[in-house]
Amino acid sequence: MKALIMTLALVGFVGSVHADETVKEKAQATTNDATRSVKKGVHRVEEAVCTEGDAKCLAKKAEHRAQEAGDYTKDKASEIKNDVDKK
Protein backbone atom coordinates (compact mmCIF):
# COMPACT_ATOMS: atom_id res chain seq x y z
CA MET A 1 0.00 0.00 0.00
CA LYS A 2 2.82 2.37 0.89
CA ALA A 3 4.55 1.61 -2.43
CA LEU A 4 1.35 2.40 -4.32
CA ILE A 5 0.99 5.75 -2.58
CA MET A 6 4.64 6.62 -3.28
CA THR A 7 4.25 5.63 -6.93
CA LEU A 8 1.14 7.75 -7.35
CA ALA A 9 2.84 10.69 -5.63
CA LEU A 10 5.87 10.47 -7.95
CA VAL A 11 3.75 10.11 -11.06
CA GLY A 12 1.66 13.10 -10.01
CA PHE A 13 4.77 15.18 -9.38
CA VAL A 14 6.43 14.25 -12.65
CA GLY A 15 3.21 14.85 -14.57
CA SER A 16 2.82 18.33 -13.12
CA VAL A 17 6.30 19.49 -14.09
CA HIS A 18 6.16 21.18 -17.47
CA ALA A 19 7.49 24.24 -19.18
CA ASP A 20 5.35 26.76 -20.97
CA GLU A 21 6.34 28.07 -24.34
CA THR A 22 7.04 31.76 -24.57
CA VAL A 23 4.66 33.97 -26.51
CA LYS A 24 7.24 34.27 -29.29
CA GLU A 25 7.55 30.47 -29.55
CA LYS A 26 3.77 30.03 -29.62
CA ALA A 27 3.48 32.67 -32.34
CA GLN A 28 6.23 30.96 -34.35
CA ALA A 29 4.47 27.60 -34.03
CA THR A 30 1.20 29.16 -35.22
CA THR A 31 2.99 30.84 -38.12
CA ASN A 32 4.63 27.55 -39.07
CA ASP A 33 1.27 25.76 -39.05
CA ALA A 34 -0.35 28.46 -41.19
CA THR A 35 2.54 28.49 -43.66
CA ARG A 36 2.44 24.71 -44.03
CA SER A 37 -1.33 24.82 -44.59
CA VAL A 38 -0.99 27.44 -47.33
CA LYS A 39 1.80 25.50 -49.04
CA LYS A 40 -0.27 22.32 -48.81
CA GLY A 41 -3.23 24.06 -50.43
CA VAL A 42 -1.08 25.44 -53.23
CA HIS A 43 0.40 22.00 -53.85
CA ARG A 44 -3.05 20.40 -54.03
CA VAL A 45 -4.23 22.98 -56.56
CA GLU A 46 -1.10 22.47 -58.67
CA GLU A 47 -1.67 18.72 -58.59
CA ALA A 48 -5.34 19.08 -59.53
CA VAL A 49 -4.56 21.16 -62.61
CA CYS A 50 -1.48 19.21 -63.69
CA THR A 51 -1.67 18.45 -67.41
CA GLU A 52 1.89 17.22 -68.02
CA GLY A 53 1.04 13.53 -68.06
CA ASP A 54 0.55 10.90 -65.40
CA ALA A 55 4.22 10.17 -64.71
CA LYS A 56 5.25 13.81 -64.36
CA CYS A 57 2.19 14.63 -62.28
CA LEU A 58 2.88 11.73 -59.93
CA ALA A 59 6.52 12.81 -59.64
CA LYS A 60 5.44 16.33 -58.70
CA LYS A 61 2.94 14.94 -56.22
CA ALA A 62 5.66 12.83 -54.58
CA GLU A 63 8.00 15.84 -54.50
CA HIS A 64 5.30 17.92 -52.82
CA ARG A 65 4.62 15.25 -50.19
CA ALA A 66 8.35 14.95 -49.44
CA GLN A 67 8.65 18.73 -49.09
CA GLU A 68 5.60 18.87 -46.81
CA ALA A 69 6.95 16.06 -44.64
CA GLY A 70 10.32 17.77 -44.40
CA ASP A 71 8.77 21.09 -43.43
CA TYR A 72 6.58 19.41 -40.80
CA THR A 73 9.52 17.50 -39.34
CA LYS A 74 11.71 20.60 -39.20
CA ASP A 75 8.98 22.67 -37.54
CA LYS A 76 8.09 20.03 -34.96
CA ALA A 77 11.75 19.42 -34.12
CA SER A 78 12.12 23.13 -33.45
CA GLU A 79 9.02 23.11 -31.23
CA ILE A 80 10.29 20.10 -29.28
CA LYS A 81 13.67 21.80 -28.89
CA ASN A 82 11.92 24.85 -27.43
CA ASP A 83 10.05 22.64 -24.96
CA VAL A 84 13.21 20.82 -23.89
CA ASP A 85 15.17 24.06 -23.51
CA LYS A 86 12.71 25.28 -20.90
CA LYS A 87 12.85 22.16 -18.71
Side-chain angles (χ1 to χ4, degrees):
M1 184 68 172
K2 187 175 181 179
L4 177 62
I5 292 171
M6 291 296 290
T7 303
L8 291 175
L10 287 173
V11 169
F13 177 72
V14 171
S16 66
V17 175
H18 68 283
D20 291 330
E21 288 182 310
T22 65
V23 174
K24 182 179 176 184
E25 291 169 347
K26 287 180 183 179
Q28 184 62 45
T30 303
T31 302
N32 290 343
D33 290 343
T35 302
R36 282 195 322 270
S37 293
V38 169
K39 284 183 180 180
K40 183 177 179 180
V42 169
H43 287 161
R44 296 308 178 274
V45 170
E46 287 177 1
E47 293 162 8
V49 298
C50 182
T51 58
E52 297 177 356
D54 289 342
K56 288 184 179 181
C57 289
L58 286 175
K60 278 194 173 195
K61 185 175 181 177
E63 180 183 332
H64 290 161
R65 297 303 182 280
Q67 182 183 11
E68 291 166 9
D71 290 345
Y72 179 83
T73 303
K74 184 180 84 174
D75 292 345
K76 292 303 172 182
S78 175
E79 291 174 24
I80 290 170
K81 180 189 137 316
N82 290 340
D83 287 342
V84 170
D85 287 346
K86 301 296 180 197
K87 290 185 182 182

